[in-house]
Amino acid sequence: MKLSVIGTGYVGLVTGGCLAEIGHQVLCTDSDQAKLGLLQAGQLPIYEPHLEGIVQRNRTAGRLCFTGDIGEAVRFGDAIFICVGTPPLETGDADLSAIDLVARAIAGEARSPKLVIEKSTVPVQTGQQLQRALSIYGRDTGTTFRVASNPEFLREGTAVSDFLHPDRIVVGVDDETAEQQLREIYRPLTERTFNCPVHETCPPGEGPPFLVTTINSAELIKHASNSFLALKISYANMLADLCDRLGANIEEVTRAVGLDPRIGPHFLRAGIGFGGFCLPKDLQAFVRLAERAGVDFRLLKEAESINQQRIDRFVEMIRQAVWVIRGKQIGLLGLAFKPNTDDIRFAPSIELITRLLAEGAHLRAYDPQAMEKARGVFPQVSYAGDAYEAAEGAEALLIVTEWEEFRALDWARIRDSMARPLVLDGRNLLDPAGMRRLRFEYFSMGRPAPSS
Ligand code: UGA
């Protein structure tokens, strides 16, 4: 099928690339000319595993193209995916102005019937507004527009695999034609008739369930999913605090709790809290949405406030361990909001660095992918060429993102190069017994040292 993708951020680029990979003709556009320039020159503006190969391969095959002309993009596809950002406003509401602009452009430029698909995360009832905007601004062209909601459940770092092997495909539609078009778009995934570029053999099992809902339900499913994930993390973080106080071990507790299939093992990792461009903003937007609908979703407000207090807790742990923070050399391992991405938006590292700088610490940080982005935000931090350099001469080393490569470091070498062998592990990445054997002073979240 001929498909258009508007917006080439994390979601748009993965969507466009993967739709081409499963056999469609895809034309992507973006209002950011610098980003488009990179893409047209064969470079990626973001780091996401497997994406570069997909983009290159499909550009060469002529299935994936980029244009700066939104009119051309709108006229190209029978279906148009809207993948523009919906950042948070001061109020916590989602800013829908980019969606509004795109709706007007689609309405003004379309010359044939279009299926307009919301991929961006939007509050419930956006579909109705979108349909209305398309009808109003497109009234002179005589074109018909159908609207659908098709929320994405991509996680940064595993987005390509998540797209090709989703747990579920959710489509919110209000007519049969839209449903059929979406079934056709996703047929290679539901019937597993594509060559998987990620796994040598695809994960076993059948294709994903294809769930057809109303547009309102589909929009709500997205916010409900992300908010529940946030809730689980905050729950685990409170349990971790309790474990610290009472001498229990959070990993033993969550492992056993998570084996109950009604609870599940995922998203129970305690640490310095959730960040990124999705969970924090979606949680806030969902609370605001509920408020507007006259529902006080206090449960989610509490999850948010617990998350905000994680950095207080970590800074307090650092203070307990190093005493006066001012003037101390502190190393940071990890800046990205999670491993396998270069994304630092709403990362816990941002609040942590802000607090430590305000207290007068000297910081030297290392992250395998996110340093370029961090440099723009914190020019006053020094950035190391590798993890060893970040630790050298430091009075404390903080683990902020659980990159797998940090686990495999030569920790004895790190110990010998530090001014004081003190590690505060905000992500429970390392083995406490192993670190103590290596004669580190080692602290983590909810895993206190045995008292005997
Ligand atoms: C999240 C959802 O997981 C995706 O399903 C969704 O599609 C996406 O948002 C989105 O709305 O686009 P993502 O933001 O990439 O994906 O990151 P997550 O893997 O959810 O992690 C979010 C944060 O939670 C990270 O800072 C991570 O370190 C933290 N986390 C995660 C924990 O602290 N503990 C856990 O057990 C899991």
Side-chain angles (χ1 to χ4, degrees), residues 1 79 115-117 146-150 169-187 190 210-215:
M1 287 176 74
L115 173 64
V116 180
I117 306 165
R146 284 183 305 281
V147 167
S149 164
N150 171 218
I169 295 171
V170 175
V171 300
V173 289
D174 57 14
D175 75 293
E176 181 80 10
T177 315
E179 178 187 333
Q180 287 318 323
Q181 274 180 288
L182 278 152
R183 279 193 190 278
E184 206 46 44
I185 292 171
Y186 285 111
R187 193 173 305 284
T190 50
F210 189 87
L211 304 179
V212 182
T213 70
T214 63
I215 296 178

Side-chain angles (χ1 to χ4, degrees), residues 311-331:
I311 297 300
D312 297 342
R313 164 120 181 83
F314 197 48
V315 170
E316 201 39 51
M317 278 171 65
I318 299 167
R319 204 191 320 281
Q320 288 286 329
V322 307
W323 186 32
V324 175
I325 290 176
R326 177 163 303 280
K328 297 274 160 65
Q329 171 76 32
I330 296 180

Side-chain angles (χ1 to χ4, degrees), residues 11 121 152-157 162 168 222 225-226 229 233 236-237 266-282 337-339 346 348 402 427:
V11 171
T121 301
E152 51 81 22
F153 303 103
L154 310 176
R155 292 163 299 175
E156 288 181 24
D162 290 343
R168 72 288 205 199
K222 170 68 191 202
S225 300
N226 274 2
L229 293 173
I233 299 171
N237 281 330
H266 305 292
F267 275 66
L268 289 174
R269 271 182 294 112
I272 51 175
F274 56 81
F277 199 60
C278 301
L279 258 49
K281 87 170 166 65
D282 289 355
F337 82 98
K338 68 175 195 177
F346 299 97
E402 67 278 31
R427 297 294 193 173

Side-chain angles (χ1 to χ4, degrees), residues 215-236:
I215 296 178
N216 282 348
S217 296
E219 290 167 340
L220 197 122
I221 286 165
K222 170 68 191 202
H223 271 136
S225 300
N226 274 2
S227 298
F228 192 76
L229 293 173
L231 205 59
K232 274 187 103 174
I233 299 171
S234 282
Y235 184 77

